[in-house]
Amino acid sequence: MADADQSYVDEPGKRVPVAYEADVVVAGAGIAGTIAAIAAGRHGAKTIIVDRFGQIGGNMGPGMFAGGSLHFALKNQSDADDTELLNRTGMGSIADEFHRRVIFGRPNADRITPEVRRQLEQTHHNVSGYTMGSGGGSPGYLVDSQISSAVALEMMDEAGVETLMSVYVSDPIMVGHRVCGLFVETISGRWALRSKIVIDATGQADVAMRAGAPVLQQMVPNMGLWYSLGGVDWDRYEQFCSENEQANEDDLAWARRTLPGARSEADPAAGDNHLLPLIRKAWEANEFKYKRQVGTGIIHIAIRRITDGMAGGRTGTAGEIDVADAKIYSQMEREHRGHIYQWARFLRKYVPGFEDSYILVVAPFLGSRGGRYMDGVHTASREDMETERQFDDVLYEYNDRRSQKNCDVPYRTLVPQRIDGLLACGRSSVPYGPNFRMRSNMLMNGQAAGIAASLCVNENVEPRDLDVRKLQKILVDLDCPVAEDERLVGLGLK
Ligand SMILES: Cc1cc2nc3c(=O)[nH]c(=O)nc-3n(C[C@H](O)[C@H](O)[C@H](O)COP(=O)(O)OP(=O)(O)OC[C@H]3O[C@@H](n4cnc5c(N)ncnc54)[C@H](O)[C@@H]3O)c2cc1C
């Protein structure tokens, strides 16, 4: 008989084959999940990692944004002039090793002198030019993203981690309030992966939400899609920019009236004012909308020189967008890709220097800096940062480079309320602002979560009952930057 409520369909119960039994299953092979899986594997846990893509690394792999805060993450790293110490502690252990191996995996690695190699391996001190990526305008982002995926795979193989690619994590297997594994969707149908501990590293707390753990959401997610163009004559473009620096008042007034979300009166095209006459022409010919309102958000785009003949950058969003709504996310994927194609067509038709340009690559992964995250036993917050809060179960110190304030990121941020058998790491466990989600933090976060999961398995305890001192002791022994020496002594860790 048909159900009276036509808005639901009952899913019939069915038997699902158990494809794997493991100690630890990691959902999501992004930045944090990859390091978590390697850490769990190295600490003796039989580990499986699952990703919906065929390429590992999340935002740093198929997302093509490798680098970012990793510039500052090397131990004893100074700025280019060796005048300011940017980072004293490094990230420790697997995170540092991963970073170094990406640098050694570059095509030009054979040119690294033995002395530089020694510095990178031992002290990491101010090895200028040997940071990962170096901003959206560098080829480093693109090149390192591909190497990151390869290095991650290699390190997972060495740690005995089973990788399940092109497999989508669906519901957790629940026994009461305990997560006992995951259902996954594969080309062979639905499978069950049974495990003692699941780590949610999906970047959006998918598993925590489906398990019924409390989650929170930020509504200004600041999404971005990477692209690059070939066949660009950047010198010719720069020449054009320098000859058109001053936008005329009429075009500026048009931009203020027409472009949604203009950042300032003086700069309505956000750095592209020199293009305004061309942007306006294409807009009025209905060929290209430089900035577009899509639903509740605004899509924009930027371009920089990458290397000889190559330019690129990323799209961005302003405004509120509900990225936990699948229909909206899908719409955003479509619109960001469309925006890049139209932008590339516009540049080729209208802008000097781009006459022979073409799209080289668009990342397969539209990333979102903010969105859904777990409301754990503790949830990191701006207030933690502003009050420089400390916790006895500190995993690492978050350093806010803008405010120069520090606060602890404690173990309890990885532990869900109410639900057992589950840890979250990476962006699934922290909010977007302030910058808890910076890559260097995500690597340290994943590292701690993987070791914690293996400890829970070894000691047969739930994550909430783990003796955190044991975890901290391992991290300290691995040279991870848990806290200042003085505090370590106070915590009985030194
Ligand atoms: C556009 C953009 C620019 C950024 N720029 C910087 C920067 O310059 N510096 C910086 O430090 N940080 C930057 N960040 C932030 C940083 O990239 C993120 O905080 C980081 O990627 C979070 O790591 P993660 O491992 O938690 O998530 P992700 O890297 O997003 O990885 C999540 C993984 O989970 C997988 N996944 C998700 N759901 C499922 C599922 N159901 N089944 C299977 N797999 C699943 C995904 O495929 C992905 O591989 C940027 C982020 C974005 C979006």
Side-chain angles (χ1 to χ4, degrees), residues 32-355:
T34 293
I35 302 297
I38 297 167
R42 283 195 187 176
H43 285 82
K46 186 177 172 198
T47 305
I48 298 179
I49 191 163
V50 186
D51 203 280
R52 60 186 164 160
F53 294 135
Q55 189 189 352
I56 280 176
N59 200 42
M60 198 157 121
M64 297 182 182
F65 292 100
S69 62
L70 291 176
H71 296 57
F72 318 119
L74 286 176
K75 192 168 180 172
N76 291 331
Q77 179 73 35
S78 310
D79 64 358
D81 311 326
D82 205 8
T83 48
E84 190 197 349
L85 186 64
L86 297 176
N87 188 304
R88 194 168 30 74
T89 56
M91 299 175 287
S93 192
I94 302 166
D96 277 346
E97 180 187 333
F98 174 73
H99 193 161
R100 264 197 320 271
R101 285 174 69 161
V102 171
I103 291 166
F104 292 156
R106 284 179 180 159
N108 62 357
D110 52 355
R111 286 186 228 144
I112 298 177
T113 63
E115 174 55 17
V116 169
R117 184 172 276 268
R118 193 191 60 73
Q119 288 182 45
L120 282 166
E121 275 167 353
Q122 291 173 14
T123 67
H124 309 244
H125 181 73
N126 192 26
V127 188
S128 122
Y130 289 98
T131 50
M132 224 152 100
S134 51
S138 130
Y141 256 34
L142 193 54
V143 174
D144 282 350
S145 68
Q146 303 310 304
I147 301 169
S148 296
S149 303
V151 168
L153 262 185
E154 205 174 75
M155 288 176 74
M156 287 206 246
D157 281 351
E158 290 163 8
V161 175
E162 182 83 44
T163 46
L164 277 181
M165 301 288 94
S166 301
V167 168
Y168 201 95
V169 170
S170 106
D171 289 328
I173 301 170
M174 300 297 297
V175 176
H177 290 294
R178 186 166 207 289
V179 175
C180 298
L182 294 173
F183 291 111
V184 293
E185 301 299 338
T186 81
I187 196 167
S188 317
R190 192 165 164 86
W191 283 351
L193 312 178
R194 253 203 301 247
S195 71
K196 294 174 183 148
I197 300 289
V198 168
I199 299 179
D200 182 345
T202 57
Q204 294 279 356
D206 285 24
V207 180
M209 181 274 290
R210 287 175 186 241
V215 290
L216 295 167
Q217 191 178 341
Q218 278 158 327
M219 295 301 288
V220 182
N222 199 352
M223 309 171 93
L225 185 63
W226 169 274
Y227 73 99
S228 55
L229 307 179
V232 178
D233 183 343
W234 194 263
D235 290 343
R236 183 165 149 69
Y237 175 60
E238 279 207 323
Q239 175 74 28
F240 165 80
C241 296
S242 63
E243 287 163 5
N244 292 275
E245 253 169 44
Q246 292 300 327
N248 73 52
E249 255 322 306
D250 189 43
D251 287 333
L252 285 170
W254 172 84
R256 286 182 204 114
R257 264 195 328 271
T258 316
L259 300 180
R263 245 193 250 162
S264 76
E265 282 284 296
D267 191 15
D272 281 342
N273 284 348
H274 55 279
L275 287 179
L276 267 182
L278 308 180
I279 287 172
R280 183 176 182 180
K281 206 165 162 192
W283 186 292
E284 286 172 352
N286 237 343
E287 287 179 343
F288 174 60
K289 303 287 179 203
Y290 170 72
K291 273 182 166 190
R292 272 183 313 137
Q293 181 86 40
V294 177
T296 51
I298 295 164
I299 298 181
H300 50 88
I301 194 158
I303 193 155
R304 298 186 204 169
R305 179 182 181 278
I306 292 186
T307 185
D308 292 342
M310 226 170 124
R314 61 168 179 78
T315 58
T317 55
E320 293 198 351
I321 302 166
D322 182 357
V323 291
D325 180 318
K327 287 182 184 165
I328 292 178
Y329 213 113
S330 168
Q331 180 190 29
M332 282 293 155
E333 284 275 7
R334 239 176 22 237
E335 298 287 346
H336 279 251
R337 276 169 212 290
H339 204 72
I340 289 172
Y341 301 139
Q342 287 158 26
W343 169 241
R345 258 205 311 259
F346 158 75
L347 290 169
R348 194 180 156 95
K349 178 166 177 187
Y350 286 94
V351 180
F354 287 85
E355 295 86 347

Side-chain angles (χ1 to χ4, degrees), residues 341-393:
Y341 301 139
Q342 287 158 26
W343 169 241
R345 258 205 311 259
F346 158 75
L347 290 169
R348 194 180 156 95
K349 178 166 177 187
Y350 286 94
V351 180
F354 287 85
E355 295 86 347
D356 297 320
S357 65
Y358 47 88
I359 296 177
L360 267 179
V361 66
V362 179
F365 182 8
L366 169 65
S368 166
R369 290 176 177 83
R372 192 170 58 208
Y373 59 104
M374 188 174 77
D375 186 14
V377 170
H378 176 76
T379 304
S381 66
R382 189 171 291 281
E383 197 192 337
D384 288 352
M385 191 265 291
E386 278 161 5
T387 57
E388 305 205 85
R389 200 159 169 199
Q390 296 190 331
F391 297 85
D392 279 358
D393 57 337

